[in-house]
Amino acid sequence: MTREQKNGMLRSIATDCRFTSGYTGKTAISPRVMEAMATVPREEFVPHQLRQLAYENSPLPIGEGQTISQPFIVALMTDLLCPDKDDVMLEIGAGSGYQAAVLSRLIRKLYTIEVVPALAERADRLLKRLGCDNVEIRQGDGYQGWPEHAPYDGIIVTAAAEHVPPPLKEQLKPGGRLVIPVGRPHGAQDLLLVTRERDGSFSSRSILPVAFVPFTRTGEDKP
Ligand code: SAH
């Protein structure tokens, strides 16, 4: 993969960020996040036959009907979490493991949950091979979060839910941030930033219209 292709992706992220600043209020992604985007080899996370497209600023299929998100969206969601090197965070929807690899470079520990067994196994193997030692992945329905390691400084959901799962809000630290696409499974969705205030209350801000694969429920407690 050429440096040229990677630089093209980084430029395209910066351009998308400027174009969407009217929605997001953000004219640039922080240098730390851009550095992580520049470091993680995205070609490892896409199917072999699509490697030539790995540094296009677009989502790609990863099998099982799922996708690896668009690099700009990965950068934006990571930036919205305001990652700090001491943070412990949770991801719901590990998919290829790409978002986990990016975020794990910026924080102390990342827990991630993936509902599709084949994807969970593949992401686990790949993240280990790439030396992402501060990521722990488990297979399951992420609706209930991962209470054993809560509370989290940040939670990122990479599949579109019809509502914000209450257990995820409860697993946020005061001052913590939750980034989640909310809306219809294949219709209008909004990227939300939910913040748990210091006094324990929640505030929510709509950031950008987005298109994510649906959040699927398998849990026994499924409504
Ligand atoms: N973050 C991923 C994006 C993958 S797409 C990446 O960087 O590649 C979203 C993923 O969420 C899919 O793999 C899908 O299987 C998973 N998912 C959907 N509903 C889920 C649920 N309830 N719990 C955990 N994972 C879920």
Side-chain angles (χ1 to χ4, degrees):
M1 227 35 67
T2 66
R3 176 176 292 265
E4 195 74 3
Q5 284 170 308
K6 214 173 215 186
N7 286 341
M9 180 187 86
L10 298 173
R11 276 196 302 274
S12 182
I13 291 171
T15 305
D16 275 5
C17 192
R18 282 195 301 275
F19 280 162
T20 54
S21 63
Y23 284 103
T24 63
K26 221 181 244 308
T27 51
I29 302 290
S30 75
R32 273 187 92 223
V33 174
M34 286 305 263
E35 172 67 30
M37 297 296 296
T39 312
V40 176
R42 192 168 187 259
E43 72 271 20
E44 299 280 353
F45 295 86
V46 306
H48 205 75
Q49 64 277 20
L50 297 178
R51 279 191 164 207
Q52 279 309 318
L53 302 176
Y55 290 102
E56 297 291 317
N57 187 14
S58 54
L60 291 169
I62 55 171
E64 312 287 333
Q66 306 304 327
T67 54
I68 177 172
S69 305
Q70 180 192 4
F72 164 61
I73 294 293
V74 172
L76 176 67
M77 290 174 81
T78 306
D79 206 52
L80 287 167
L81 289 167
C82 295
D84 180 88
K85 62 177 181 13
D86 294 324
D87 285 351
V88 178
M89 295 198 183
L90 173 68
E91 178 191 37
I92 310 298
S96 68
Y98 178 68
Q99 169 74 71
V102 171
L103 185 53
S104 71
R105 298 191 65 85
L106 300 164
I107 62 175
R108 182 157 60 82
K109 178 86 191 185
L110 179 68
Y111 295 94
T112 180
I113 306 177
E114 169 54 50
V115 73
V116 177
L119 292 178
E121 277 163 38
R122 199 166 71 199
D124 192 25
R125 275 199 308 276
L126 180 54
L127 290 165
K128 287 204 170 84
R129 178 160 69 75
L130 296 178
C132 300
D133 299 330
N134 60 342
V135 182
E136 194 175 323
I137 183 165
R138 82 167 165 82
Q139 189 270 320
D141 177 352
Y143 188 89
Q144 299 295 340
W146 196 331
E148 289 79 357
H149 306 291
Y152 300 99
D153 297 287
I155 302 179
I156 175 170
V157 182
T158 67
E162 296 192 32
H163 60 263
V164 181
L168 298 185
K169 287 169 73 172
E170 285 314 316
Q171 288 170 34
L172 270 186
K173 272 188 197 164
R177 294 160 159 253
L178 166 62
V179 179
I180 179 171
V182 173
R184 304 251 196 82
H186 296 284
Q189 302 166 8
D190 225 5
L191 189 63
L192 292 188
L193 171 64
V194 179
T195 307
R196 185 166 209 173
E197 306 295 347
R198 302 275 165 195
D199 66 4
S201 66
F202 294 94
S203 67
S204 175
R205 182 158 86 85
S206 167
I207 303 289
L208 191 69
V210 286
F212 275 82
V213 295
F215 190 96
T216 51
R217 301 292 319 277
T218 62
E220 279 154 24
D221 58 322
K222 180 176 163 178

